[in-house]
Every structure is written in C-alpha cells, then in structure tokens.
Amino acid sequence: MMSAVVLVGAQWGDEGKGKITDFLAEKADCVVRYQGGSNAGHTVEVNEEVFMLHLIPSGILYPRTLCLVGNGVAVDMENMLEELDGLKKRGIDTSNLRISKRAPLVMPYHKKIDELEDRTANIGTTRRGIGPTYADKINRVGFRIGDLVDEPAAFVERFKAQVAFKNRIIEEIYQEEGFDYRLLLDQLMDQVGLLKPYLADASLLVYNCIREGKKVLFEGAQGTLLDIDHGTYPFVTSSHPTAGGACVGTGIGPTYINRVLGVAKAYTTRVGEGPFPTELNDATGELLRQRGAEFGTTTGRPRRCGWLDAVVLRYAARVNGLTDLAITKLDVLDTFPRINICVAYHYKGQLLNEFPENSEVLANCNPEYIELPGWQEDISGVTRLEDLPENARRYVAKVEELCGVPSAIVAVGPRRAQTIVQHRLFG
C-alpha cells in the first residue's frame, strides 16, 4: 500500500517545517522538494549539529533516503553547489540527491532584476531572483536545467538573445551595468557540469517509489499564506506552497496523495511586508521573538511575532485539505501566564469568521481573542502528551478544535527528541 504525505506550512512560513520534515524523513524512503528556491530555508538540528538547508531536501541527512528536487523548484546552480559543498565538508553523503531536469534556472540577471525591482515595489522579496525566474517560466522565455545538457546549441542561441533583452531592462530602465553573456555562459556550463551526475527525471523516480509502495514525503517551502494564489497577495511568494503545488511541482497526480500534514507554530510569525492581524509590537511580541529565536534562516531578518491566529489555521485546513496538524514551538509559550488565540476578525463593524480574500481588508482587521491560562513550567523534556501540564493539553485541544484538524505531532523544542508523537504518519 502506498504512503505519500504532503507537508505544508499552515501559516506565513517559518513554522518549523525543517524539524518536522527531518523527523519524518528518518522513516521515509523518498523526500521530494516541490516548490520555492533559495528564498526559503529549513533549519534542522541533529545530534547537537545545526544544518541550514535552502534547496536540498531535509532527507539528505539520511543516506538511504532518496532526495528529489522537483520541477517546481527554482534552482540557482551556484547556491546548489555551495550547499552541496557545505554538506560534504561536514561528512554528509550527497549521492542520494537527484534534481529534475525540468527545474527552472535562476540566472544572475534574475537576481539583479529582483533587487532593482524590489527597491520600488517593496513587497518584501528576499532578492534571490525567484520571482523573475518564475515570471520567465510563465512567459516561456526561461531556461530549464536540462536545456544546458540535452540541447546546448539551441540553449546558447536563446540565452544570448535573453541576456541582451535583460540587459536593456537593467541598463536603460535602472541605469545599472548589464551582463556579458559569454562570461555567464562559461559560468553556467561549468556549474551544470558539476551538477550533471545529479540530474534525472524526478517525476518518474517519485512515481516509481509510490508504485512500489514506498514511503514518500513531499516537502514544501514557505507557507499557505504566501501562496501566489491563496496567500496575502501581493505580499506572497511566486509559487504554490499549498498542497496542490506538490502535484504540479513533482509531476504526480492528486490521487497518489494519502495525507496532508500542516505545520503550525503555537503562535504566529511572518517575515517582510504585508498584513498581520495578531502582530504584537510590544514587550510580549519581543519575548516571543527572543524565546523562539525568530530570525530568518535565509535573510537573518527578525520575524514579526504575534498570538496564534485560528482564522488562518481554519483557512489553511480548507485550502490544503489538511488531515493532520503538527504544532511546533509549544515550549516558547512556557513563561506566559495568559495566552491569547485569535478566533475571528473585526472589520468595519462586522465580525468575520473566515479569512478575507483581499489583503487590504485583512490589513484593516482587528483580532477577536479568547484567553487561555498558561502553564508556566518547562515542558521541553516532555515526550508524551499526557505528561504535559493540564493547561498545555487544553491549549493543544483548543487549537485542534478551532481548526478542525487533529494533531499528529507536538514539538516542545528544536531537537528531534523533543517531539511528542500522537499518531504516526509513516509506520
């Protein structure tokens, strides 16, 4: 019997997906990254060692686990090689990695344009070139990593024309220096030569794993509210972190998916611009930031922090079809005597129980809170739900009730051992 699980962020990203992915990857036969690029980051802590991964799936830490980078991932070859080199220097075997030849390539001019455009747009991009890469993909003028290997002559002609076009934008609109396509071409050919052993038909590999009844974990980056269609547009990413993105971003059909696990912090954070109804710009918000070490893996930016938003979780449950919940960083709330949860929004005299479609509406919403008593004791060593303080158990139960999804995992610290498993997604 097949066992395929999609893991998604149920908030604005940074929910602790890296830890949960790593926890599940130990049991998985295959871990597949299906969207995003080096604009995302996963922090994994194993045996007191911390690994910060951006493009490579978290399962890379397990030699027996096949790790796939799907066609939905924007691949920056320079970043990929740096990440591989860093893992190898720490003794990690990377021979179990495969990269889809259909994956779109992040070019140096994409990063340059991303930086220049964000100066005026101010939508909070990481300036890693991901948006411009996906834009070129949709406009059908981008390049896929397989183009450099399978049809290099055709690639060179198209590439020369595209660099000339991008240079016009950079030089004429932004008055910045453009690129020499010959230097870029040499650089790209060197990079793809080093990555060639990793290139494969990732769609076929994951399909075969599922057909053979293996345990497959689909790993998303960012979070539901950063989805290009279903997030707080325009303050979103350029891909689909939602569960549906797993099918498009890897090339398998939705009927092959068994379960969808939503990862959510016990409170809420977001990075960059955009509406955030439960944000706390006070000492409580700062305490959440410091206790939760809320600083971006990719950018180092301090994250905006606030109380848990159950309206967001209900929305995430709906658009992803969540079957299970993983609640992370419950221990961050240990010191609070009272804890709030947002259950609805106040907007111009109305009470909104559902997440609004318009970001301007959301920006003018005020949270309706319920208050729960805190537990004010250290839970970081607890390994069973029944051993949590009564008020901590009540908090978990209330979160499950409000979003209508049972929790499979409750994390009480960053290490793998600091994980309470309610039921197993993989045997």
Side-chain angles (χ1 to χ4, degrees):
M1 180 179 177
M2 67 180 185
S3 183
V5 177
V6 179
L7 182 147
V8 300
Q11 295 160 313
W12 273 284
D14 309 309
E15 300 95 348
K17 296 184 296 298
K19 177 214 165 95
I20 303 301
T21 304
D22 172 67
F23 187 81
L24 294 174
E26 189 176 17
K27 298 288 186 182
D29 299 301
C30 176
V31 179
V32 194
R33 170 80 180 276
Y34 63 83
Q35 50 77 224
S38 54
N39 58 338
H42 287 167
T43 302
V44 180
E45 190 169 329
V46 181
N47 298 327
E48 307 299 326
E49 277 198 270
V50 176
F51 295 86
M52 292 185 177
L53 304 171
H54 298 274
L55 283 166
I56 297 176
S58 303
I60 198 68
L61 303 178
Y62 303 99
R64 58 166 289 276
T65 302
L66 176 64
C67 292
L68 303 179
V69 175
N71 58 274
V73 179
V75 173
D76 184 326
M77 292 195 292
E78 181 179 10
N79 288 166
M80 178 69 79
L81 288 167
E82 287 174 355
E83 201 164 329
L84 283 167
D85 187 55
L87 288 168
K88 290 174 184 176
K89 286 179 178 177
R90 297 177 69 177
I92 304 299
D93 180 10
T94 61
S95 62
N96 53 333
L97 175 69
R98 295 293 180 270
I99 303 167
S100 172
K101 294 170 75 173
R102 294 184 176 95
L105 279 175
V106 180
M107 298 292 188
Y109 53 71
H110 288 138
K111 291 187 277 190
K112 182 73 170 179
I113 291 172
D114 199 5
E115 177 186 351
L116 294 170
E117 288 182 343
D118 192 49
R119 291 179 187 176
T120 54
N122 194 33
I123 58 172
T125 174
T126 58
R127 303 183 177 184
R128 300 299 178 99
I130 308 304
T133 300
Y134 282 125
D136 276 5
K137 173 182 174 179
I138 297 303
N139 285 329
R140 293 159 293 176
V141 295
F143 300 97
R144 308 198 292 189
I145 193 168
D147 294 342
L148 282 73
V149 177
D150 297 331
E151 294 290 342
F155 166 78
V156 171
E157 289 305 309
R158 288 180 55 221
F159 181 69
K160 182 179 179 180
Q162 194 58 211
V163 172
F165 178 72
K166 292 298 193 292
N167 279 346
R168 288 179 59 191
I169 296 173
I170 295 167
E171 294 168 356
E172 295 178 18
I173 297 177
Y174 293 104
Q175 306 297 307
E176 297 269 349
E177 185 179 355
F179 294 90
D180 183 327
Y181 91 92
R182 288 161 296 193
L183 294 178
L184 283 187
L185 183 62
D186 289 343
Q187 175 185 320
L188 293 171
M189 288 304 182
D190 287 344
Q191 291 169 346
V192 80
L194 295 171
L195 288 175
K196 193 173 180 180
Y198 297 101
L199 302 184
D201 185 342
S203 172
L204 180 60
L205 290 175
V206 70
Y207 174 72
N208 287 339
C209 284
I210 292 172
R211 281 189 61 194
E212 293 165 11
K214 293 182 177 178
K215 300 164 187 171
V216 179
L217 178 64
F218 295 87
E219 173 188 20
Q222 288 102 17
T224 297
L225 295 189
L226 294 179
D227 186 278
I228 186 67
D229 282 339
H230 303 290
T232 49
Y233 189 91
F235 305 101
V236 292
T237 193
S238 301
S239 60
H240 294 290
T242 42
C247 297
V248 178
T250 59
I252 59 100
T255 54
Y256 294 122
I257 304 298
N258 298 106
R259 308 194 73 81
V260 181
L261 174 68
V263 184
K265 280 176 185 163
Y267 50 100
T268 310
T269 66
R270 83 169 296 174
V271 172
E273 304 296 324
F276 183 3
T278 65
E279 183 173 12
L280 297 170
N281 293 305
D282 57 13
T284 301
E286 183 58 32
L287 183 58
L288 284 170
R289 183 179 298 113
Q290 296 302 324
R291 284 186 55 79
E294 297 297 350
F295 300 91
T297 303
T298 299
T299 63
R301 290 182 292 184
R303 296 175 185 141
R304 300 155 64 191
C305 299
W307 294 121
L308 184 70
D309 191 331
V311 183
V312 163
L313 291 189
R314 284 199 299 272
Y315 178 68
R318 172 162 59 89
V319 299
N320 289 297
L322 297 184
T323 60
D324 305 273
L325 199 63
I327 301 172
T328 63
K329 294 195 171 185
L330 185 65
D331 56 301
V332 172
L333 301 180
D334 282 357
T335 63
F336 294 93
R338 311 294 296 180
I339 302 169
N340 289 337
I341 300 178
C342 172
V343 295
Y345 302 140
H346 292 280
Y347 173 72
K348 294 185 177 181
Q350 305 174 62
L351 187 66
L352 304 181
N353 291 303
E354 297 296 338
F355 193 76
E357 294 178 288
N358 189 293
S359 290
E360 289 298 322
V361 172
L362 186 65
N364 289 287
C365 285
N366 293 310
E368 168 76 12
Y369 286 121
I370 59 171
E371 187 180 76
L372 280 73
W375 46 93
Q376 294 189 283
E377 58 181 284
D378 182 6
I379 62 169
S380 61
V382 176
T383 57
R384 301 189 307 167
L385 192 74
E386 56 265 34
D387 293 334
L388 285 173
E390 182 179 357
N391 286 345
R393 295 199 306 275
R394 286 178 177 171
Y395 186 82
V396 171
K398 179 56 71 174
V399 173
E400 294 175 330
E401 175 192 330
L402 290 170
C403 68
V405 181
S407 61
I409 295 170
V410 178
V412 294
R415 294 188 296 278
R416 191 183 308 153
Q418 294 174 299
T419 309
I420 298 170
V421 179
Q422 302 233 63
H423 66 265
R424 297 191 178 278
L425 299 172
F426 293 133

